[in-house]
Amino acid sequence: SDVHRQALLDAARIGGMSVLRLMNEHTATALAYGIYRSNEFDPEKPCTVAFCSMGQSIFSVSIVQFVKGKLEVVCERSDKVGGRDMDECLMREFAAQFKKKVGCDPLS
């Protein structure tokens, strides 16, 4: 959030650091990806890559396009759904499959 970004900038200033640019972790990941694969990108046709992160409670995605020597963040989105929610979905699906195969509901 903007509050978190401002707190980070304030902490850096208090610590005597000059922040040139603040980027989220997806952009940093995309930048590292682009540096290591820079020779593989076409100079004219963009290569579109999705960077996804599912934490315990937040799922976020960044769509990035690369051309040789350039990175463009097309969009970024986060939502408050994460690993716990995925665990719940998987548990219910596996329980349904188990009940269908064995005839016993493991969730009851």
Side-chain angles (χ1 to χ4, degrees), residues 42-57:
D42 189 299
E44 295 180 20
K45 183 181 177 207
C47 174
T48 305
V49 181
F51 294 92
C52 305
S53 174
M54 181 175 286
Q56 183 177 356
S57 61

Side-chain angles (χ1 to χ4, degrees), residues 32-88:
Y33 176 87
I35 289 170
Y36 289 109
R37 300 189 62 147
S38 62
N39 291 333
E40 300 175 19
F41 300 128
D42 189 299
E44 295 180 20
K45 183 181 177 207
C47 174
T48 305
V49 181
F51 294 92
C52 305
S53 174
M54 181 175 286
Q56 183 177 356
S57 61
I58 293 182
F59 179 67
S60 53
V61 177
S62 290
I63 307 296
V64 180
Q65 286 187 330
F66 296 95
V67 293
K68 193 163 186 81
K70 185 178 174 191
L71 163 146
E72 178 184 353
V73 178
V74 178
C75 66
E76 298 175 326
R77 178 75 176 138
S78 294
D79 205 345
K80 292 190 178 191
V81 62
R84 288 179 284 181
D85 302 295
M86 185 62 76
D87 290 346
E88 176 84 17

